[in-house]
Amino acid sequence: MHVGVIGGGSIGLLVAAQIGIDHKVTVYVRRQEQKEEINREGLFFLPAHTRSNVSALLVSEIKQEEMMFVCVKQYHLRHLYPYLQEIRCPIIFLQNGMGHVGYILRYQNKQTILVGTCEHGAIKVNDRCVKQTGEGKINIASVTGDKLSLTKVIDSFHRQSFPIVIKEDWYKMLGEKLIINAVVNPLTALFQVKNGEILKNPYLTTLAKALCKETCDVLGLVDKDQWDNVVRVIRITKENESSMKLDIMNNRKSEIEGICGYLLTHTKVDTPNLQFMYEAIRALEHSKGVVGK
C-alpha cells in the first residue's frame, strides 16, 4: 500500500518506520534539510537498528496516497488543512487533546476521517533516526465516512510489534488519552522529571490524582477507572520524557493550549489544579520567549 505520513517528529518517524516494513511510505516534512537526509540515508529505527527505505517530500508536495497518517502537533493542523482538502484517501489523525476534531469536521472533504491515540514512547534522535522508548499500541476510531476503513487499517498495519486496536467511541478514546496528557505532560514539564517520578514522589502522585479527577469531571468519565489507566501508562513509560517536558527544555511551544486549555474552555465545574497547570506552563513559555497561542 502507498501510505503517507505527515510529520517528521518522533511519532511521525516512528509510524513511518514501522509501517515502512511492509508498505511504500512517504514522509511529508517541513524542512528541505530533513527531506534530503531521509531520501539520502533512509530512516533508522532504534533499538532494533533497522533501516527503512522510506521516501520524503515537503508538505507542500503532498500527493494522493491510499492512506494518510497525520502526526503533527495539534496547533500545526490549521496550516495543513489547505493541503488535506486535496486528499481523497482515508486520513488518520494522531494528535493529543480533542480540540482538533471540530476543525477536522469543518474542513474535511467527504473523505473518511479516523482519529487515533498513540501509546508508544518515542524520541527523535535526529532528522532520520527515531528511538522507541516504550512499547504500547495505537487506538483508532471512526469519526466520519466509511467504517470499513477501520478494518483495512487493521488488516494492513497491525503487527505484534506494532498493535492497532479499533475503538467504537472516538470521544471516549480521545478523552481517555486527554486525561493521561493532562496529568503527565504538565507535571513532568513543570517539575522537569521523567514520567515514572509521578508515582515515585508522593506529592506528585497527589497532584496527579487531583488533575485526573478534575479532567474526568469535565469529560464525564469515571475517575477511578481512568486513574487506573493513568497508572498503567505511567508504569509502561516510566523512563520516558514527555513531549511537553522536552518542549519546555528546548524552548518550543507546548501543547498546553490543546490539553489543559481545551478542558478549561469546556468545563462547567471548578478546576483549580488544571487552571494552575495551564498558567504555570504558559508562564514557562513566556519566560523562554515562546510565542503564546
Side-chain angles (χ1 to χ4, degrees):
M1 184 182 293
H2 289 255
V3 182
V5 177
I6 302 177
S10 58
I11 299 303
L13 295 182
L14 172 69
V15 170
Q18 291 282 16
I19 292 177
I21 294 172
D22 300 312
H23 302 276
K24 184 175 177 58
V25 173
T26 301
V27 183
Y28 294 94
V29 299
R30 289 185 297 165
R31 293 182 296 107
Q32 180 70 23
E33 295 84 358
Q34 186 175 19
K35 169 187 169 180
E36 292 175 357
E37 189 163 352
I38 291 175
N39 285 333
R40 184 176 61 251
E41 304 290 344
L43 180 55
F44 198 64
F45 178 66
L46 296 171
H49 293 276
T50 56
R51 181 178 179 274
S52 299
N53 290 316
V54 306
S55 60
L57 292 172
L58 297 177
V59 170
S60 59
E61 299 172 315
I62 284 180
K63 57 185 176 63
Q64 297 298 331
E65 307 280 359
E66 294 177 74
M67 188 77 68
M68 185 74 78
F69 286 81
V70 180
C71 304
V72 302
K73 292 188 175 181
Q74 189 180 131
Y75 54 75
H76 284 142
L77 283 176
R78 296 185 185 187
H79 305 295
L80 285 179
Y81 288 133
Y83 303 108
L84 294 178
Q85 284 186 294
E86 303 300 318
I87 300 297
R88 297 293 179 265
C89 68
I91 303 178
I92 303 170
F93 289 86
L94 294 177
Q95 278 73 43
N96 290 327
M98 297 177 72
H100 59 293
V101 178
Y103 291 112
I104 292 169
L105 294 176
R106 189 182 310 168
Y107 287 97
Q108 68 95 13
N109 192 23
K110 298 183 179 179
Q111 71 269 64
T112 296
I113 299 297
L114 310 173
V115 291
T117 61
C118 180
E119 296 181 6
H120 296 284
I123 295 175
K124 177 181 173 181
V125 178
N126 55 46
D127 276 349
R128 45 87 52 174
C129 180
V130 63
K131 180 180 181 181
Q132 185 170 4
T133 57
E135 293 185 2
K137 63 182 184 295
I138 287 182
N139 304 297
I140 292 180
S142 174
V143 178
T144 66
D146 179 14
K147 290 191 176 182
L148 291 177
S149 294
L150 282 170
T151 303
K152 187 176 182 181
V153 169
I154 293 293
D155 292 343
S156 301
F157 307 130
H158 174 81
R159 298 195 323 276
Q160 185 174 355
S161 61
F162 192 64
I164 296 178
V165 178
I166 291 178
K167 299 290 186 178
E168 292 297 323
D169 185 341
W170 68 263
Y171 180 88
K172 186 172 185 290
M173 179 191 72
L174 292 185
E176 289 176 345
K177 181 63 184 300
L178 180 54
I179 291 168
I180 294 168
N181 290 145
V183 172
V184 174
N185 284 20
L187 280 175
T188 55
L190 181 58
F191 293 96
Q192 287 294 291
V193 294
K194 291 185 177 181
N195 294 0
E197 190 65 21
I198 294 173
L199 299 180
K200 290 181 181 179
N201 186 323
Y203 300 99
L204 289 181
T205 304
T206 298
L207 287 172
K209 287 181 177 179
L211 288 169
C212 182
K213 184 180 185 310
E214 289 182 5
T215 307
C216 287
D217 290 343
V218 176
L219 298 175
L221 297 175
V222 179
D223 178 31
K224 184 184 182 307
D225 293 344
Q226 297 306 319
W227 174 247
D228 290 343
N229 190 43
V230 169
V231 170
R232 178 186 68 84
V233 172
I234 291 175
R235 285 174 176 163
I236 291 172
T237 63
K238 62 183 179 180
E239 294 300 321
N240 289 11
E241 295 178 311
S242 76
S243 59
M244 190 173 292
K245 178 188 181 232
L246 293 175
D247 286 339
I248 295 299
M249 281 177 58
N250 294 294
N251 300 331
R252 297 191 300 251
K253 181 179 179 181
S254 78
E255 294 182 281
I256 194 65
E257 195 66 45
I259 297 173
C260 293
Y262 172 86
L263 292 165
L264 291 172
T265 57
H266 288 78
T267 186
K268 296 180 180 178
V269 298
D270 289 336
T271 53
N273 292 285
L274 284 170
Q275 184 71 49
F276 171 77
M277 287 298 171
Y278 173 82
E279 301 292 350
I281 299 301
R282 291 302 296 270
L284 286 174
E285 291 181 335
H286 185 272
S287 68
K288 291 173 176 286
V290 177
V291 177
K293 295 184 180 180

